[in-house]
């Protein structure tokens, strides 16, 4: 019996971003870090609880993903629609979660802009109605 070859993982910008969403939804921080460039710049929008720019794949997972998981139950970014032009990937998405302290549910539309080079995410910027997030957290 011969070996069964696994299909190659695509490094297309859309595929890389999709792997990031899947890893995030699964809580697989190692797989998520594997989609990020070592010098990634990850910007959470002003007014968002984690507002600011995070650098390095470890910095993004520790400063954003782990904190979201601690503060929110079932935090999920649902990637609904992709718009791709070259290295730019814009995703129209939704966040759903329940705040662990307030018990309030969050359902909010978001837009994410990724820049992918060499099969890795080098830049991310979040756009979200931060008032809805703040209201759920308070």
């Amino acid at each position: 019996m011969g070996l069964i070859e696994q299909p190659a993982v695509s490094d297309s910008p859309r595929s890389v971003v999709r792997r990031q969403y899947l890893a995030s939804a699964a809580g697989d921080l190692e797989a998520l870090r594997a989609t990020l460039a070592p010098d990634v710049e990850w910007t959470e929008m002003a007014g968002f609880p984690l507002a600011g720019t995070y650098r390095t794949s470890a910095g993004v997972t520790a400063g954003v993903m782990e904190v979201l998981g601690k503060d929110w139950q079932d935090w999920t970014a649902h990637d609904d629609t992709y718009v791709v032009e070259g290295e730019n990937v814009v995703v129209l998405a939704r966040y759903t979660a329940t705040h662990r302290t307030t018990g309030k549910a969050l359902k909010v539309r978001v837009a994410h802009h990724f820049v992918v080079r060499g099969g890795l995410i080098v830049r991310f910027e979040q756009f979200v109605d931060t008032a809805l997030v703040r209201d759920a957290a308070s």
Side-chain angles (χ1 to χ4, degrees), residues 21 77 89-93 95 110-114 124-127:
Y21 280 102
V89 180
V90 174
V91 181
L92 304 178
Y95 292 152
V110 299
H112 293 155
H113 175 220
F114 296 86
F124 166 87
E125 187 173 7
Q126 170 204 56
F127 301 89

Side-chain angles (χ1 to χ4, degrees), residues 35-113:
T35 67
L36 304 176
D39 59 348
V40 65
E41 290 186 5
W42 186 280
T43 302
E44 299 287 324
M45 188 169 175
F48 190 72
L50 304 174
T53 299
Y54 301 81
R55 290 177 173 77
T56 76
S57 58
V60 169
T61 54
V64 179
M65 307 311 171
E66 290 178 14
V67 175
L68 289 173
K70 180 178 65 74
D71 293 345
W72 299 85
Q73 180 178 336
D74 300 324
W75 179 275
T76 305
H78 307 269
D79 52 331
D80 297 325
T81 304
Y82 285 72
V83 180
V84 181
E85 183 172 324
E87 64 185 13
N88 292 284
V89 180
V90 174
V91 181
L92 304 178
R94 296 169 286 122
Y95 292 152
T96 59
T98 301
H99 196 269
R100 292 188 190 275
T101 302
T102 68
K104 293 180 185 176
L106 173 68
K107 293 180 183 177
V108 63
R109 296 285 297 159
V110 299
H112 293 155
H113 175 220

